[in-house]
Amino acid sequence: MTETWDALAGLVGAGDVVVLSGAGLSTESGIPDYRGPSGVARRHTPMTYQAFTRDPDARRRYWARSHLGWRTIAWAAPNAGHRAVARLQRAGLVTDVITQNVDGLHTAAGSGAVVELHGRLDEVVCLDCGNLTSREELDRRLREANPGFDGHVAAVNPDGDVELPDEAVTGFRTVDCGICGTGMLKPDVVFFGETVPAARVADCFSRVERARALLVLGSSLTVMSGRRFVIRAAKLGIPVAIANQGPTRGDDYAALTVDAPLGRLLPALADRLGAGPAGDATSGAVPAGVAPAAR
Ligand SMILES: [Zn+2]
C-alpha cells in the first residue's frame, strides 16, 4: 500500500503530468457513474445521435428527461478531488486536464487548460446554423414552453439524462433555435454514435505526447474515446498511473494502479506534494481506503 502511494507521489511530484478524468471523479459531487461501483445501472439505451436527429419522439423524450436531469448537473459543485487537481495544476505539477465529463466541474474548481473531450452540457448547439447558446437560456425557454412540467427524478446519469416513464413525456414541447428560428437544438456534447471532432482528438494526443506521465482519474476506460490516450502514452514509454474504484480496461498499460475514493486520495496527494493551499486538509499520509488494485 505504502509502496503504491510512494510511487504515485513520485510520479506526480516529477511534474509535467496530464490528467485524464472520467465520471468516477464526479460521483462525490452527486453525479452517479453508471459504470462505477457506486453507480446505478442504466435502464434505457443511451440516446444516439442518429435517433436524436431522425426521430422527433426520441428527441422529445431526450429533452424531457434532460430538462429534469439538467437541474442536478447545474446544481452540482466541484468536490475535493476536482479541487486537488486544480491545486496540483497551480503548483505546476499537472499541465493539462483532459476530461470525459460534460459537467464542467474541473473548470468550476479552478482548473485551466481543460479539454472537454465530450463537450459541455451547459452549452447548446444549433445543428443548422451552428450557433452556441447557454443551457440556462434553453432551460428558461423550455420552462416557458412547458409550464407545470415536473417529475420526480430518481436517478440522473453523468450525461444529465434521467429515468422517466414514457407517459410523463407525452406532451412535452421541445423548442428550436432562437437565432435562426428553425434549427434543431442539441446539447453540445458528443452523443453515442457520434465521434469526437478530429481536431480535439489531435489536440489531446499532442498534450499526452508532451507529458512526462499520464494520470487517469475515475475512468473505467471502457470506451476507446479515452482509452486511446492511455495506449498512446504506453507505446511512447510515458508512464500511466490509474486511480479508479474498480478495475479498468487500461490496467494492462499502467505502470501503477490505485483503487481509492478520489475525494480522499487526491487531497492527500496534493498535501504530500506541498501543492497548497490545502482546502481539504489531510496528513499527507496514505489515505484511508487506498489499496493497490489487483493486477
Ligand atoms: Zn440556428
Side-chain angles (χ1 to χ4, degrees):
M1 184 191 320
T2 309
E3 257 173 47
T4 310
W5 177 235
D6 288 345
L8 179 65
L11 201 74
V12 176
D16 285 331
V17 175
V18 168
V19 161
L20 171 65
S21 71
L25 186 59
S26 290
T27 51
E28 289 169 66
S29 292
I31 304 170
D33 172 7
Y34 47 86
R35 290 194 181 99
S38 63
V40 289
R42 194 184 256 283
R43 280 182 289 268
H44 59 257
T45 319
M47 176 61 61
T48 63
Y49 182 78
Q50 290 72 19
F52 185 85
T53 50
R54 289 176 198 163
D55 178 357
D57 287 337
R59 198 156 57 245
R60 176 168 43 248
R61 276 197 301 276
Y62 175 86
W63 276 122
R65 296 198 305 245
S66 181
H67 183 53
L68 297 178
W70 163 246
R71 298 171 198 178
T72 301
I73 305 277
W75 291 336
N79 65 55
H82 296 108
R83 290 194 294 274
V85 170
R87 284 170 61 199
L88 291 168
Q89 209 174 13
R90 279 195 297 272
L93 300 176
V94 167
T95 54
D96 305 90
V97 177
I98 300 169
T99 186
Q100 297 172 282
N101 299 339
V102 296
D103 53 34
L105 293 181
H106 276 296
T107 306
S111 272
V114 180
V115 181
E116 280 148 331
L117 194 59
H118 296 161
R120 285 179 71 106
L121 209 53
D122 64 358
E123 287 177 344
V124 178
V125 65
C126 169
L127 295 181
D128 280 0
C129 72
N131 262 298
L132 275 179
T133 47
S134 78
R135 183 63 184 262
E136 238 178 321
E137 161 76 6
L138 177 69
D139 191 57
R140 190 184 56 71
R141 294 180 60 211
L142 285 176
R143 280 170 198 267
E144 278 173 15
N146 298 278
F149 179 79
D150 214 340
H152 174 67
V153 176
V156 63
N157 287 322
D159 51 6
D161 203 353
V162 302
E163 307 296 338
L164 204 62
D166 277 354
E167 59 270 21
V169 171
T170 316
F172 187 82
R173 292 183 56 211
T174 59
V175 299
D176 292 326
C177 176
I179 294 164
C180 68
T182 54
M184 187 187 294
L185 295 177
K186 173 181 166 293
D188 194 23
V189 299
V190 176
F191 275 22
F192 284 79
E194 204 179 358
T195 54
V196 178
R200 199 181 296 164
V201 175
D203 178 32
C204 292
F205 272 128
S206 78
R207 288 169 196 248
V208 168
E209 286 162 5
R210 286 196 303 269
R212 185 199 296 266
L214 178 63
L215 175 61
V216 178
L217 301 175
S219 174
S220 55
L221 299 170
T222 309
V223 290
M224 190 46 93
S225 165
R227 192 163 73 249
R228 57 188 158 187
F229 302 116
V230 168
I231 295 170
R232 176 69 60 92
K235 267 192 186 145
L236 295 173
I238 297 167
V240 177
I242 300 178
N244 187 59
Q245 292 199 269
T248 82
R249 286 191 65 189
D251 289 356
D252 287 347
Y253 301 95
L256 73 102
T257 59
V258 186
D259 192 326
L262 297 174
R264 286 213 291 269
L265 177 80
L266 296 173
L269 183 65
D271 286 353
R272 172 161 172 174
L273 297 174
D280 305 282
T282 72
S283 66
V286 184
V290 174
R295 296 297 305 275

